[in-house]
């Protein structure tokens, strides 16, 4: 490394970036432990919550929302289907498209998992004022927009 070039940890925003990455990783680990008794993992939870919110979403739309490839979906969806938590049905207009829905058991399990998740978030963030939580959320949404624009080779608007 050029001696005139700063190390990454010398960059003023590096601490923030590392903090976000570590918090995300630790939250994933804590959530994995918290929902283990339900017999699901965090990727399953992401799917179940999205199906709870967006009943009848297509597999492709779900993969796009979760930022995962079709191969990941092809591994996870059959696991949930075998457990009787989801159903896949052909779209009424386009039989090539599969629509996803929760079963009754899937809705019940998702409600239990969401209660665990919400409780964990509340415990972790209860000491942080709501306005500060919103500032962090807005900063993360800005980062998401920038990264998505970079993926699409678009240049984000500069404010």
């Amino acid at each position: 490394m050029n001696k005139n070039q700063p190390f990454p940890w010398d960059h003023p925003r590096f601490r923030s970036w590392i903090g976000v990455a570590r918090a995300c990783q630790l939250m994933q680990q804590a959530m994995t432990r918290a929902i283990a008794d339900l017999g699901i993992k965090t990727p399953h939870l992401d799917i179940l919550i999205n199906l709870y919110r967006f009943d009848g979403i297509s597999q492709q739309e779900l993969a796009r929302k979760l930022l995962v490839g079709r191969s990941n979906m092809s591994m996870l969806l059959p696991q949930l289907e075998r457990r009787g938590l989801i159903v896949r049905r052909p779209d009424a207009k386009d039989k090539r498209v599969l629509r996803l829905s929760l079963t009754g058991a899937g809705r019940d399990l998702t409600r239990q998992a969401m209660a665990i998740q919400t409780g964990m978030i509340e415990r972790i963030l209860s000491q942080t004022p709501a306005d500060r939580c919103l500032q962090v959320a807005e900063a993360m949404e800005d980062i998401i927009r920038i990264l998505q624009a970079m993926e699409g080779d678009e240049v984000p608007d500069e404010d």
Side-chain angles (χ1 to χ4, degrees), residues 82-126:
R82 279 192 298 275
R83 285 193 54 195
L85 301 175
I86 68 166
V87 291
R88 294 189 273 186
R89 294 186 180 100
D91 183 86
K93 295 178 184 166
D94 185 348
K95 300 295 182 205
R96 296 170 298 172
V97 174
L98 290 175
R99 299 279 169 193
L100 305 168
S101 295
L102 293 174
T103 62
R107 289 188 84 67
D108 291 343
L109 183 76
T110 303
R111 282 188 198 106
Q112 291 174 45
M114 287 190 302
I116 291 168
Q117 183 183 50
T118 302
M120 180 177 289
I121 291 167
E122 185 57 35
R123 279 191 310 279
I124 292 167
L125 295 175
S126 65

Side-chain angles (χ1 to χ4, degrees), residues 35-91:
I35 62 174
D37 288 345
L38 298 178
I40 58 173
K41 296 180 178 168
T42 54
H44 298 126
L45 178 59
D46 292 341
I47 290 170
L48 294 171
I49 288 174
N50 272 278
L51 295 183
Y52 193 91
R53 289 185 69 198
F54 307 106
D55 182 52
I57 191 172
S58 74
Q59 284 186 210
Q60 185 174 356
E61 292 167 320
L62 180 61
R64 196 171 23 255
K65 279 189 177 300
L66 297 178
L67 305 173
V68 298
R70 282 190 274 184
S71 60
N72 281 2
M73 283 288 115
S74 327
M75 288 180 0
L76 294 168
L77 293 176
Q79 295 169 4
L80 295 172
E81 200 171 28
R82 279 192 298 275
R83 285 193 54 195
L85 301 175
I86 68 166
V87 291
R88 294 189 273 186
R89 294 186 180 100
D91 183 86

